[in-house]
Structure formats: structure tokens, C-alpha cells
Amino acid sequence: MEDAVQLSRRIFAQSNHNLNELGKWQLSDFTQFEGIGPAKAISIIAALELGRRKRSAEALQKFKVQSSVSVFEHMQPMVGELEHEEFWVLYLNNSNRVLKTQQLSKGGITGTVVDIRLVFKPAIQLGAVAVILVHNHPSGTLKPSSADIQLTKKVTMAGESLDIKVLDHLIVTEKSYFSFADEQML
């Protein structure tokens, strides 16, 4: 008979000793192990989700944007491992401190719709002087699509008319990111 520690080790080995991979497991992935029924599997999934949310909450506290890397580290726990696209905006004050991080849209596997007016409404309400756009590519592809490039141009132009600067647009994947600012595409 296998004890809880041995079972945990076996489960962790099955996920290649990778908590991010384990966090993607479904109920059926856990219940394939003898001794784990639906209730235990749900408890494990909930614990992994709480850990992910704790990491996200820590990233939100007193966050100051210093580089594209810092934005990636801030946003990756929220969108990097999703199986669908989401579009988020970081609203910043004049010290590059994040006033608010807000999801604007949630889409399908290959895209999501963004209403430019909704990008700037919270910016005006918060008194933000800059924004950073972030969306994920579940496919893992870092190359921006033509739609990504067009959207970035449109949002940047709209921001200029409102005197709200678009500092960057990041495409986030599970392991890496693409920065429009780093690639001089803004």
C-alpha cells in the first residue's frame, strides 16, 4: 500500500516535476491514480489554483513597471498558461506604478475582440498617464499577428489624442514574451 508521500511523489513525477504542468491537469488526470477520487482531485486542483492566485496577488502589490521583463513576470501567472486568449491593460501613474490591472476581453483559442474605447475609459477614470497592453497566445507563438500590429497602432493613436501614452504591448506565452517596445514597433 502506497502512503500519501509516495503517491504525491509519483503524481509530481508524472507531471515532469513541473508545478505549472500539474496546474493544467484536469480531474481525470488525478483520478487515474489509485487512492484519488473526485473529491481529493478537486481539493488538489483547488490548492493549485490558490497557489497560482497567491502568486498573482503578490505580483499586484506595490508593482512598479521597470521593464518588459517586470510586466511579463507580473502577467504570466494570470495569462501565460491559459488555453484561450485574454486581453488585459495595465494602467499606470506618472511614476510607472500600476494603478489597476484589468481584463478587457476573453476570447477563443485564436483570438479575442478589443474595443479601443474600453481601453481608455478606466484610464481616464483613474487619471492614468500611460497604459501597457498585454494579451496571451495559447499557441505559444511569440510573433505578433497582423491584427496584433493593427490593434497596437490604433490604440497608440487613440492614446495620443487623449495624452495617454501606450508604453508597450506584450504577447505572453507560458515561458516567454514578445515586447512591441523592445522591438521598436511602437
Side-chain angles (χ1 to χ4, degrees), residues 75-82 84 86 88 134-136 172:
M75 293 301 299
Q76 193 283 334
M78 290 182 258
V79 300
E81 298 163 20
L82 298 175
H84 61 275
E86 290 188 1
W88 291 66
V134 179
H135 80 280
N136 64 316
V172 174

Side-chain angles (χ1 to χ4, degrees), residues 5-6 18-20 23 25 39-40 46 56 75 77 92 102 112 119 125 139 146 157 166 173 180-181 185:
V5 174
Q6 292 170 326
N18 184 326
L19 283 175
N20 289 332
W25 280 22
K40 281 186 186 176
S56 296
M75 293 301 299
L92 291 81
Q102 182 173 328
T112 187
V119 171
Q125 291 170 333
S139 67
S146 58
M157 285 177 52
V166 176
T173 65
F180 278 72
M185 292 178 66

Side-chain angles (χ1 to χ4, degrees), residues 51-114:
R52 187 187 68 74
R53 288 184 185 194
K54 181 181 184 293
R55 184 175 160 205
S56 296
E58 288 170 353
L60 286 172
Q61 294 176 355
K62 299 178 184 169
F63 174 62
K64 181 175 181 176
V65 172
Q66 297 181 5
S67 66
S68 59
V69 173
S70 65
V71 175
F72 170 71
E73 290 171 351
H74 176 71
M75 293 301 299
Q76 193 283 334
M78 290 182 258
V79 300
E81 298 163 20
L82 298 175
E83 294 178 358
H84 61 275
E85 277 200 23
E86 290 188 1
F87 191 93
W88 291 66
V89 180
L90 280 67
Y91 298 96
L92 291 81
N93 68 12
N94 59 353
S95 299
N96 281 354
R97 291 211 179 269
V98 175
L99 300 169
K100 185 175 187 176
T101 301
Q102 182 173 328
Q103 179 190 61
L104 277 192
S105 67
K106 186 177 187 176
I109 295 170
T110 59
T112 187
V113 177
V114 178

Side-chain angles (χ1 to χ4, degrees), residues 125-142:
Q125 291 170 333
L126 292 165
V129 299
V131 297
I132 295 177
L133 313 173
V134 179
H135 80 280
N136 64 316
H137 277 181
S139 67
T141 303
L142 287 174

Side-chain angles (χ1 to χ4, degrees), residues 112-126:
T112 187
V113 177
V114 178
D115 186 328
I116 294 170
R117 295 167 292 197
L118 295 179
V119 171
F120 291 105
K121 182 178 179 183
I124 292 166
Q125 291 170 333
L126 292 165

